Amino acid sequence: MKPAPVLDTHVWIWWMLGDARLKAGEREALDDLPPDRRPVLCDISLWEFGTLVDLGRVEIDGPVEAWLQVAASPATVRIQPITPAIVAEMNRLPAGFQRDPADRLIVATARALKLPLASHDRKIRQSRLAPLWTA
């Protein structure tokens, strides 16, 4: 049985919005994960989502709170808070890797939890700093 992935913010948003950039097989695999193996979402992705909505880079129907009630519910994802182990792992990442704190925390979370990362980010994928999830 394959482990559930840690979701990069854009993968989570694409999944929730039914965005075509997320392949059908990926969407189906995420949808089919059992209740006890929901994908992991870093808590910083909640902040990143709110920021993207504020900037007009992500459009949703209705208020942010209503969207998050579904998209961040335990039936959808397991929210992973930042822990000392994740911060320590983040500090072990190479200095030249992404300076974006959200990307660094997401990669560090996958590494600290020893879970694959679902990401379409070219720089993250090419870094090979975390194992990549395949549907």
Side-chain angles (χ1 to χ4, degrees):
M1 186 178 294
K2 291 167 55 169
V6 172
L7 301 178
D8 200 343
T9 305
H10 64 274
V11 170
W12 171 57
I13 293 169
W14 293 351
W15 177 36
M16 292 295 98
L17 294 178
D19 192 300
R21 290 175 284 188
L22 188 65
K23 296 174 186 161
E26 292 172 313
R27 182 175 294 104
E28 289 169 13
L30 291 170
D31 287 343
D32 291 345
L33 288 170
D36 63 334
R37 288 189 34 247
R38 300 311 301 157
V40 174
L41 184 72
C42 301
D43 58 2
I44 199 163
S45 291
L46 300 171
W47 167 82
E48 198 170 18
F49 167 76
T51 300
L52 291 169
V53 171
D54 279 347
L55 295 173
R57 292 180 52 199
V58 170
E59 292 183 18
I60 58 171
D61 294 329
V64 168
E65 295 86 357
W67 194 89
L68 287 172
Q69 279 186 335
V70 174
S73 78
T76 305
V77 293
R78 292 178 285 156
I79 303 293
Q80 175 62 50
I82 298 168
T83 65
I86 291 169
V87 172
E89 192 61 44
M90 185 182 73
N91 284 357
R92 285 191 274 278
L93 295 174
F97 174 68
Q98 299 276 44
R99 293 312 311 161
D100 179 286
D103 286 346
R104 290 181 70 80
L105 277 168
I106 291 166
V107 169
T109 298
R111 290 168 55 108
L113 299 178
K114 297 181 178 18
L115 291 174
L117 176 60
S119 178
H120 286 234
D121 183 293
R122 184 181 50 80
K123 290 179 183 175
I124 289 174
R125 294 179 69 81
Q126 289 177 346
S127 75
R128 298 184 180 187
L129 289 170
L132 297 174
W133 178 71
T134 54

